[in-house]
Amino acid sequence: MDIRTIFANMSWLATSQIITSILAFFWTIFTARYLGVNDYGILGFVVSLSAMFAIISDLGQSTHIVRSVSVDYSKARDYLGNAIPFKSLLSVVYILVILFVLLITDSSEITILIGLLFAFESVIKNFCSLFYGVFQAHEKGSYQAIANTILNVLTFVFIILAIYLDAGLWGITWAYIFANVACIVYTVYILCKHFEVPKIQFDFGFWKQLAIFGFPFALTTIFYTIYYSIDIFMLNQLIGDFATGIYNATYKLINVLTLFYSIYTAVFFPVMSKLYAKEKSMLKTTLSKSIKYLSLITVPIAIWVMIYSPDIIQFIYGNQYAQASIVLNVLIWTVVFLFINGAASNSLNASHKEYSVTKIYVIAAVFNVISNLILIPKYSYIGASAATVLSEILIFVLEIYALHKLNLSPNKGLILDTLKIVVASIVMGSALYFAHLSMWLTIPVAVIVYLVVGFVIKMFDNDDIYVIKQIIGR
């Protein structure tokens, strides 16, 4: 395992994601303030709906291709040549499904039209993801990072332009579409210049193979998406646009943080696939270290957000979204479990246990739907938040059990490391709570307190120090 290659890819993707997160942070603010709670609720509903059914246009092909091509680069031509026309056919089916759902839910005319446009935007994204898979398999994270930066810079620019021109919800929608079109143009150019010029193939036997091997990943994505998107859908149908707007505003903030999860997946999934094929003993170590490093970042962030959630919502959205602070207090913990569960899922997928992951997400999705049906009518967006976090905790328990059966469960040292992380985070949070400092001043104070406590209780071991030295080239 080449630590420098991993770090180089992560650096590119992290830089891109930092840019993305900053821009997404601002366009979320501008969009929510400009549209108001009700129109922002409509936007959240159609985005959630398009995401819920987006897997129809992919059927797990992209993930399967990453795993296969990362082991044998020569397979890229056949995979791309067949995936493109197969994906095009599936995309037509996907758009028709979106139209059908919008009609049977008795959506307004503007919601139907905006929903169809976001379905088209989702199709473009899915094709970009297919080509990103080739970049990831070759461990060339820089190309994906540049494409991602282009996409999000243009999204930001076009949204600002739409707001300036007072183009309303229509203008915001077209802003997303134009940015994605520019992104796929760049992605195709890089693919043809540096990797493969796709040659369309209609090998139906290969299409069948793509569907069969991609099916477990597709099922996982379906149920994964259901329990992350069904809450917004159900809020809209059971409560209304206002509650959806409040919840969606908070959810967008969470999405800014969870975007960093895509860095981990893009960098480590190909590596884990190789480790399983060549160095299985290292896979367990990689998983344990991944969970530790992800927890080192997410746990203190969650504590900090809980303390300052009212200030965060007030600063970002203003008084009209004040009720969102309690939602943020709950939803922030999805970030912690999402990262940890993502590391576990990647290990299971890399070990060709994708059906185990699928079963876990099926259980979680059913649990989430039932929880939402029980909690939303009584507790509205707070109930939806609780259902999401409870689903993540359930996934965590089930995935740890699945890893244990494969003798891949994290080592016992991780338990002690996790306790140290929790202790350092609680000490940091307590110091901030009793200090009564302004939100901005607490950021450097929080970092200093957290690191000092971490070093005192020996939160970083010799392996961590070795990794740091490898990263900085010493």
Side-chain angles (χ1 to χ4, degrees):
M1 180 171 58
D2 188 343
I3 292 177
R4 290 196 183 184
T5 300
I6 293 174
F7 181 70
N9 284 323
M10 184 166 281
S11 296
W12 272 100
L13 292 169
T15 301
S16 170
Q17 204 59 66
I18 289 170
I19 294 171
T20 297
S21 296
I22 292 172
L23 294 176
F25 174 77
F26 284 107
W27 85 54
T28 295
I29 297 173
F30 298 152
T31 303
R33 285 177 175 264
Y34 171 66
L35 293 178
V37 177
N38 286 321
D39 276 359
Y40 199 58
I42 294 174
L43 179 65
F45 169 68
V46 297
V47 170
S48 174
L49 180 65
S50 64
M52 247 191 332
F53 292 94
I55 191 60
I56 293 174
S57 64
D58 182 74
L59 291 184
Q61 295 176 55
S62 298
T63 307
H64 170 57
I65 289 172
V66 173
R67 188 177 70 180
S68 299
V69 176
S70 64
V71 177
D72 185 356
Y73 294 157
S74 65
K75 295 180 179 180
R77 177 168 297 181
D78 288 338
Y79 273 105
L80 282 176
N82 284 283
I84 291 173
F86 188 27
K87 203 175 182 72
S88 299
L89 177 62
L90 293 173
S91 296
V92 174
V93 176
Y94 162 65
I95 292 175
L96 292 175
V97 169
I98 292 293
L99 176 60
F100 175 74
V101 173
L102 287 168
L103 290 173
I104 65 172
T105 54
D106 197 27
S107 298
S108 64
E109 182 179 348
I110 186 172
T111 302
I112 292 173
L113 295 174
I114 296 295
L116 290 175
L117 287 175
F118 268 100
F120 176 66
E121 183 244 10
S122 183
V123 167
I124 300 173
K125 279 186 175 178
N126 271 329
F127 272 99
C128 284
S129 295
L130 173 64
F131 303 142
Y132 289 166
V134 177
F135 304 161
Q136 293 170 21
H138 286 81
E139 297 183 50
K140 296 294 183 182
S142 58
Y143 297 126
Q144 181 177 344
I146 293 171
N148 193 48
T149 302
I150 290 172
L151 169 63
N152 290 286
V153 168
L154 289 180
T155 300
F156 177 77
V157 170
F158 291 146
I159 284 177
I160 295 300
L161 183 61
I163 293 173
Y164 176 76
L165 296 175
D166 196 19
L169 187 54
W170 288 102
I172 299 295
T173 302
W174 283 108
Y176 282 99
I177 293 174
F178 290 150
N180 275 277
V181 168
C183 178
I184 199 169
V185 168
Y186 169 80
T187 304
V188 170
Y189 169 75
I190 292 298
L191 179 72
C192 295
K193 182 177 180 180
H194 296 288
F195 299 97
E196 294 284 345
V197 177
K199 294 183 179 179
I200 303 302
Q201 301 178 38
F202 291 90
D203 184 341
F204 297 113
F206 202 98
W207 288 23
K208 182 179 179 180
Q209 179 185 353
L210 284 173
I212 291 173
F213 286 104
F215 185 67
F217 299 115
L219 274 181
T220 301
T221 303
I222 288 170
F223 290 104
Y224 174 89
T225 306
I226 284 175
Y227 85 79
Y228 270 112
S229 300
I230 196 67
D231 43 12
I232 294 179
F233 180 85
M234 293 176 71
L235 265 176
N236 184 270
Q237 297 299 304
L238 297 175
I239 306 296
D241 289 336
F242 183 84
T244 307
I246 292 293
Y247 186 79
N248 187 46
T250 308
Y251 211 82
K252 289 295 183 181
L253 291 183
I254 297 300
N255 281 343
V256 171
L257 293 175
T258 56
L259 285 173
F260 284 94
Y261 165 71
S262 64
I263 300 175
Y264 170 82
T265 300
V267 173
F268 276 90
F269 181 61
V271 173
M272 286 182 166
S273 296
K274 288 182 179 180
L275 289 176
Y276 181 77
K278 300 176 182 179
E279 305 174 56
K280 295 182 183 179
S281 62
M282 285 294 294
L283 181 57
K284 185 174 181 178
T285 301
T286 301
L287 172 61
S288 295
K289 288 299 180 183
S290 294
I291 293 176
K292 177 179 179 178
Y293 298 150
L294 294 171
S295 299
L296 276 168
I297 297 170
T298 57
V299 173
I301 288 176
I303 295 292
W304 181 84
V305 168
M306 284 191 70
I307 295 172
Y308 290 97
S309 59
D311 297 317
I312 293 170
I313 294 298
Q314 172 65 32
F315 172 76
I316 294 173
Y317 294 122
N319 290 328
Q320 61 179 329
Y321 289 91
Q323 298 171 58
S325 63
I326 191 170
V327 179
L328 182 58
N329 276 341
V330 179
L331 277 184
I332 188 60
W333 291 101
T334 63
V335 177
V336 177
F337 286 101
L338 173 68
F339 276 68
I340 296 173
N341 293 341
S345 295
N346 276 337
S347 295
L348 290 169
N349 284 332
S351 303
H352 297 269
K353 294 296 180 181
E354 52 269 21
Y355 276 107
S356 296
V357 179
T358 300
K359 292 175 184 177
I360 290 169
Y361 278 92
V362 168
I363 295 170
V366 173
F367 174 81
N368 185 262
V369 171
I370 295 172
S371 298
N372 276 308
L373 283 172
I374 296 171
L375 296 173
I376 286 179
K378 188 172 183 179
Y379 300 106
S380 188
Y381 41 74
I382 299 174
S385 306
T388 299
V389 176
L390 290 173
S391 297
E392 285 289 346
I393 294 173
L394 177 62
I395 289 173
F396 171 75
V397 173
L398 294 175
E399 288 193 327
I400 292 299
Y401 175 72
L403 288 168
H404 177 72
K405 290 175 63 177
L406 294 171
N407 196 31
L408 286 175
S409 56
N411 56 53
K412 294 181 180 178
L414 180 62
I415 298 175
L416 180 59
D417 289 334
T418 303
L419 288 174
K420 290 178 180 179
I421 292 169
V422 172
V423 168
S425 299
I426 291 175
V427 172
M428 176 205 75
S430 300
L432 298 180
Y433 180 80
F434 290 108
H436 300 293
L437 300 174
S438 68
M439 181 176 68
W440 298 113
L441 183 59
T442 61
I443 296 176
V445 173
V447 172
I448 293 171
V449 172
Y450 180 65
L451 292 178
V452 169
V453 175
F455 278 108
V456 169
I457 63 177
K458 297 181 179 180
M459 195 164 60
F460 305 99
D461 58 27
N462 292 331
D463 290 338
D464 304 328
I465 295 172
Y466 170 77
V467 169
I468 294 171
K469 287 182 177 180
Q470 287 289 305
I471 288 172
I472 64 178
R474 293 183 59 186

